[in-house]
């Protein structure tokens, strides 16, 4: 049967690139982009777009029926740094959007649902280095709490109703096509724009703050590989750890300086430092590697080279 995909939150940092990649595979007409915001310029003319508030369950339901949707990618969320400014809103949006999608998906027998979690599920009591798939998980941000609760809702709908929901705990994602949405790892994108404009950057995280990171092409490929893997290979129905690289503001600055002589960085940590300090430095993704063959392609220097080339 022909698949028809709905991407919710398609104008966001991940949504734009994921929508374009899915259109390349399934055909432009078979991937419906939707968002509360206006259509991102990069999506214009590449396929169908509908304005949609995922919180409006009736409208969501109508669109899913009207468009004959068979798969849903739910990307709408409030991210870690923005979430700390408005915890109630973050909890409400992150949870209710997921429950709306899961509920309608069960009713309409949607074939597959994708919903991303985050390394923000880990907290200060989790192992800092190579945080395992299963470990102590006590998140301290509202974003992390909402992601952890969401993981269990995904697992619940799979166990109880057989809904094929799949999920990845993304690390900080680095991209140049669309702007980041208010996360704690956004510094690793801002730094490229500042390097281009001013050849210097003031980091809101301390120089030695190591966090798990990934270049967007790896994240998009990983997401599609997970979604295309045979269902029996998907052993984790909460959310998969996915790793690629781990670096600090100092290390990315050094890598950028290889391309931009004279580039300098200084450090003025703000409230986001506490969020970063609660997360692991790196994560163990052996479950994803073993279950469905995950393998990252980009390390720090390769990612920096491509970012500089595309931002210039
Ligand atoms: N970007 C990262 O580094 C990262 C890391 C870990 C996890 N994630 C997760 O990936 C997903 C996508 O993240 P992103 O970085 O693309 O975020 P983003 O903020 O760039 O994009 C989210 C999109 O959702 C839309 N949206 C918000 N409320 C909506 C609503 N009520 N109805 C419809 N659309 C709505 C926004 O307009 C926005 O375009 C989120 O679940 C996020 O938690 C992202």
């Amino acid at each position: 049967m022909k698949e028809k995909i709905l991407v919710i939150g398609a104008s966001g940092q991940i949504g734009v690139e994921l929508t374009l990649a899915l259109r390349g595979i399934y055909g432009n007409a078979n991937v419906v982009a939707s968002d509360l915001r206006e259509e991102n310029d990069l999506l214009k003319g590449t396929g169908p777009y509908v304005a949609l508030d995922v919180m409006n369950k009736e409208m969501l339901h109508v669109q899913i029926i009207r468009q004959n949707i068979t798969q849903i990618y739910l990307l709408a969320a409030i991210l870690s740094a923005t979430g700390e400014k408005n915890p109630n809103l973050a909890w409400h949006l992150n949870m209710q959007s997921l429950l709306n999608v899961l509920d309608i998906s069960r009713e309409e027998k949607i074939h597959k649902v994708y919903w991303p979690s985050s390394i923000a599920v880990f907290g200060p009591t989790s192992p800092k280095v190579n945080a395992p798939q299963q470990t102590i998980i006590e998140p301290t941000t509202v974003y992390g709490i909402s992601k952890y609760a969401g993981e269990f809702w995904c697992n619940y709908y799979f166990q109880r109703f057989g809904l094929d929901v799949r999920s990845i705990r993304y690390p900080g994602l680095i991209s140049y096509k669309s702007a980041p949405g208010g996360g704690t790892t956004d510094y690793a994108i801002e730094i490229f724009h500042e390097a281009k404009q001013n050849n210097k950057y003031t980091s809101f995280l301390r120089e030695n703050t190591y966090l798990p990171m990934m270049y967007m092409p790896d994240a998009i490929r990983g997401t599609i590989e997970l979604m295309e893997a045979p269902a029996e290979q998907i052993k984790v129905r909460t959310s998969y750890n996915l790793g690629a690289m781990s670096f600090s503001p100092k290390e990315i600055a050094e890598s950028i300086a290889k391309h931009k002589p004279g580039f300098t960085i200084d450090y003025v940590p703000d409230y986001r430092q506490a969020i970063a300090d609660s997360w692991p430095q790196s994560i163990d993704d052996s479950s994803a590697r073993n279950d469905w063959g995950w393998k990252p392609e980009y390390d720090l220097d390769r990612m920096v080279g491509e970012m500089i080339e595309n931002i210039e």
Side-chain angles (χ1 to χ4, degrees), residues 73-307:
Y73 287 69
L74 169 58
L75 305 172
I78 289 180
L79 276 69
S80 59
T82 313
E84 290 312 290
K85 291 185 181 156
N86 197 337
N88 287 327
L89 183 68
W91 173 257
H92 187 54
L93 176 70
N94 294 0
M95 283 294 91
Q96 201 56 49
S97 60
L98 178 59
L99 291 173
N100 287 352
V101 166
L102 291 176
D103 214 32
I104 297 169
S105 297
R106 171 172 77 99
E107 202 176 322
E108 298 303 331
K109 303 200 167 26
I110 294 297
H111 302 164
K112 287 181 208 173
V113 175
Y114 178 75
W115 173 83
S117 182
S118 162
I119 55 116
V121 295
F122 297 110
T125 49
S126 307
K128 281 279 168 215
V129 176
N130 291 332
Q133 179 67 44
Q134 288 176 305
T135 183
I136 298 170
I137 297 193
E138 298 178 326
T140 51
T141 61
V142 68
Y143 177 69
I145 300 169
S146 73
K147 288 295 184 189
Y148 202 38
E151 290 186 3
F152 284 100
W153 275 114
C154 292
N155 190 52
Y156 182 84
Y157 270 76
F158 172 72
Q159 301 292 346
R160 175 132 191 227
F161 306 116
L163 182 65
D164 190 351
V165 197
R166 307 182 183 194
S167 178
I168 285 171
R169 290 172 180 157
Y170 290 131
L173 299 179
I174 298 157
S175 65
Y176 59 88
K177 287 189 183 159
S178 45
T184 303
T185 51
D186 289 4
Y187 91 85
I189 299 171
E190 287 173 12
I191 193 169
F192 289 99
H193 295 279
E194 291 296 313
K196 180 187 172 189
Q197 277 155 25
N198 306 314
N199 216 25
K200 65 178 175 38
Y201 178 63
T202 300
S203 168
F204 58 75
L205 296 182
R206 274 195 294 273
E207 62 180 318
N208 54 356
T209 309
Y210 283 84
L211 288 171
M213 299 278 193
M214 184 179 288
Y215 191 39
M216 190 63 88
D218 267 345
I220 300 296
R221 186 177 49 80
T223 303
I224 292 172
E225 283 174 6
L226 168 73
M227 290 300 280
E228 293 195 334
E232 60 274 14
Q233 277 175 240
I234 311 303
K235 308 266 195 278
V236 174
R237 288 293 181 165
T238 49
S239 187
Y240 277 100
N241 279 7
L242 211 66
M245 57 183 104
S246 169
F247 58 79
S248 63
K250 182 166 183 270
E251 284 182 356
I252 191 175
E254 283 166 359
S255 182
I256 290 173
K258 289 182 204 159
H259 301 262
K260 300 199 62 87
F263 175 71
T264 58
I265 183 167
D266 61 358
Y267 307 92
V268 183
D270 66 13
Y271 71 101
R272 289 169 280 193
Q273 185 66 48
I275 303 177
D277 288 342
S278 77
W279 292 347
Q281 300 176 351
S282 57
I283 56 177
D284 174 358
D285 61 4
S286 45
S287 293
R289 288 174 189 257
N290 295 334
D291 291 358
W292 47 275
W294 164 246
K295 198 168 181 291
E297 286 176 0
Y298 286 85
D299 62 11
L300 174 62
D301 284 335
R302 186 167 173 217
M303 177 274 287
V304 167
E306 279 203 16
M307 283 293 287

Side-chain angles (χ1 to χ4, degrees), residues 8-9 11-15 35-37 52-55 75-77 79 93 116-118 143 147 170-173 179-181 185:
I8 303 169
S11 287
Q13 190 198 357
I14 301 173
D35 203 290
L36 200 56
R37 289 198 251 179
L52 183 72
D53 181 356
V54 67
M55 300 297 273
L75 305 172
L79 276 69
L93 176 70
S117 182
S118 162
Y143 177 69
K147 288 295 184 189
Y170 290 131
L173 299 179
T185 51

